[in-house]
Amino acid sequence: MTGPRDDRDPFVAAVKPLVDAMGGEIVAPDEAGTDDVVLAWQGEDVLAVRLPQLADSLDHILLALERKRGVPLSDLDRKAKQEVVRILEARGAFAVRHGVETVAGALGVSRFTVYNYLNRST
């Protein structure tokens, strides 16, 4: 069997996009820490997923949104920034400590503006 970090392994290839989208890291099962999630396939531990801290996840989500749009989030127009705030709210970004400040910085707006966008989406 190929190693757990080998993208040629069908199981690893199947879960890698999800792990990448979360900002996680794939590690060998025997390297798993207490906070890592060990994934088994057909009764065998195949890999472990090291999840990022919530604040790191928010940064990862912001970078992914920026890559998807092809421009810095601060360059978006008001309507697009409101859409980004709605997406982030649905993903729990504002439950993270300093989430509003982090998002405001990425969008190039004030915290007050982010709160206004949040109020408009309800």
Side-chain angles (χ1 to χ4, degrees):
M1 181 175 151
T2 56
R5 297 183 202 194
D6 189 342
D7 289 348
R8 294 174 296 184
D9 181 288
F11 186 77
V12 175
V15 300
K16 189 171 183 339
L18 178 60
V19 173
D20 290 346
M22 295 183 316
E25 175 186 1
I26 294 176
V27 297
D30 60 347
E31 296 175 14
T34 57
D35 292 335
D36 297 336
V37 179
V38 176
L39 300 179
W41 180 251
Q42 296 179 341
E44 180 183 345
D45 291 345
V46 177
L47 59 89
V49 178
R50 184 158 295 150
L51 299 171
Q53 298 297 314
L54 285 176
D56 295 336
S57 291
L58 179 53
D59 290 338
H60 187 80
I61 291 167
L62 288 167
L63 286 172
L65 287 169
E66 198 166 87
R67 277 193 308 272
K68 182 177 180 180
R69 296 184 184 301
V71 297
L73 296 178
S74 59
D75 290 350
L76 297 174
D77 63 24
R78 183 176 52 85
K79 184 175 179 178
K81 288 179 182 182
Q82 289 172 335
E83 180 184 334
V84 166
V85 168
R86 282 192 297 275
I87 290 167
L88 292 170
E89 182 180 27
R91 294 188 71 179
F94 302 109
V96 175
R97 184 177 178 156
H98 303 295
V100 171
E101 291 87 350
T102 301
V103 171
L107 293 176
V109 299
S110 68
R111 290 181 342 191
F112 180 76
T113 299
V114 172
Y115 284 118
N116 278 339
Y117 291 170
L118 286 167
N119 288 333
R120 290 177 194 256
S121 68
T122 56

